[in-house]
């Protein structure tokens, strides 16, 4: 099976592709991101703080001024350890999910501490223009653009990750609490129903 079967709007393995065309469908992109260069050393905020996406994503770097850009990708299995580390390091309460709220960037010093205390390290990917990366739903990730760049991203819902999409939808809903923080742009239940019906 090829990646387009999962990532294209009409991909047979993209559950979101079964949403009817005569109604407002989920916002799965494509989306364009422009970014300035940033640093990765102690105290850095990187370019995109640590977070998880509600759905699978394919990102393509379309332009970079003169060097590669780094993306740290963490295993889903390590999310609880990362949350525990952030609570310890920044004296946070357990109510707010610091990953979902995108409050932190794990700079080089924090990543080293995370590894020393919890044996968790990221898969660091250096992206070049024209190259794509697949980010599964629920995998925490962050970006440090070493150079000014432009990227394009598109989301999809793969059958393999539907359970993770559902978990994230529930977690985001719980984090919303009294004020709307993150909309359910995926409309997962409706999306699954249309796929089943098709």
């Amino acid at each position: 099976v090829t990646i387009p079967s999962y990532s294209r709007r009409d991909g047979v393995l993209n559950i979101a592709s079964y949403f009817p065309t005569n109604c407002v469908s989920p916002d799965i992109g494509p989306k364009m991101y422009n970014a300035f260069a940033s640093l990765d050393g102690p105290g850095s905020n990187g370019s995109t703080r640590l977070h998880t996406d509600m759905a699978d994503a394919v990102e393509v770097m379309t332009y970079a001024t003169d060097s590669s850009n780094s993306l740290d990708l963490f295993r889903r299995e390590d999310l609880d350890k990362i949350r525990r580390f952030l609570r310890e390091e920044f004296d946070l309460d357990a109510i707010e999910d610091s990953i979902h709220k995108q409050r932190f960037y794990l700079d080089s010093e924090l990543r080293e501490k995370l590894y020393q205390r919890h044996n968790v390290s990221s898969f660091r990917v250096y992206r070049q223009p024209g190259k794509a990366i697949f980010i599964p739903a629920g995998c925490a990730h962050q970006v440090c653009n070493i150079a000014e760049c432009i990227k394009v991203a598109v989301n999809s819902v793969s059958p393999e990750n539907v359970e993770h999409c559902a978990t994230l939808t529930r977690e985001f809903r719980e984090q919303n609490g009294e004020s709307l923080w993150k909309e359910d742009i995926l409309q997962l239940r409706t999306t699954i129903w249309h796929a089943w019906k098709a």
Side-chain angles (χ1 to χ4, degrees):
V1 177
T2 60
I3 289 294
S5 298
Y6 286 95
S7 60
R8 285 177 47 129
R9 280 185 170 276
D10 60 352
V12 69
L13 293 174
N14 179 2
I15 291 174
S17 71
Y18 295 96
F19 215 91
T21 57
N22 62 348
C23 55
V24 180
S25 59
D27 181 14
I28 59 172
K31 300 168 185 139
M32 183 175 78
Y33 298 88
N34 305 314
F36 292 111
S38 59
L39 302 172
D40 187 46
S44 169
N45 285 323
S47 304
T48 304
R49 293 177 181 173
L50 186 68
H51 68 286
T52 56
D53 289 333
M54 192 179 289
D56 302 312
V58 174
E59 292 184 0
V60 178
M61 180 76 63
T62 59
Y63 169 82
T65 51
D66 58 297
S67 75
S68 62
N69 289 272
S70 63
L71 180 141
D72 291 303
L73 188 60
F74 293 89
R75 298 177 334 141
R76 279 189 204 112
E77 296 84 355
D78 291 331
L79 286 178
D80 287 338
K81 291 179 182 177
I82 297 168
R83 287 180 177 110
R84 189 173 335 126
F85 169 76
L86 291 171
R87 283 194 302 269
E88 295 165 357
E89 186 69 20
F90 297 101
D91 195 28
L92 306 172
D93 61 40
I95 295 171
E96 183 178 290
D97 190 312
S98 50
I99 295 175
H100 290 335
K101 293 285 181 128
Q102 299 184 32
R103 291 188 55 201
F104 300 99
Y105 174 81
L106 299 178
D107 60 35
S108 55
E109 188 176 87
L110 290 170
R111 288 194 309 276
E112 180 61 28
K113 286 182 182 180
L114 175 62
Y115 179 73
Q116 295 298 327
R117 290 188 207 164
H118 298 283
N119 199 31
V120 172
S121 60
S122 66
F123 298 95
R124 178 153 272 206
V125 179
Y126 291 96
R127 302 178 299 166
Q128 301 285 340
K131 303 294 182 183
I133 184 167
F134 178 76
I135 304 170
C139 288
H141 56 285
Q142 63 180 19
V143 179
C144 181
N145 293 312
I146 301 166
E148 294 176 3
C149 67
I150 300 171
K151 72 173 184 177
V152 175
V154 64
N155 294 107
S156 59
V157 180
S158 66
E160 294 85 353
N161 287 326
V162 126
E163 182 180 335
H164 299 293
C165 294
T167 298
L168 288 164
T169 299
R170 181 180 40 78
E171 290 175 356
F172 288 157
R173 189 178 301 118
E174 289 169 0
Q175 286 295 304
N176 273 339
E178 295 298 316
S179 61
L180 183 62
W181 159 73
K182 194 160 196 153
E183 288 182 75
D184 181 9
I185 57 171
L186 194 56
Q187 304 176 49
L188 186 62
R189 287 183 180 177
T190 307
T191 299
I192 292 170
W193 185 78
H194 286 299
W196 176 81
K197 196 172 75 166

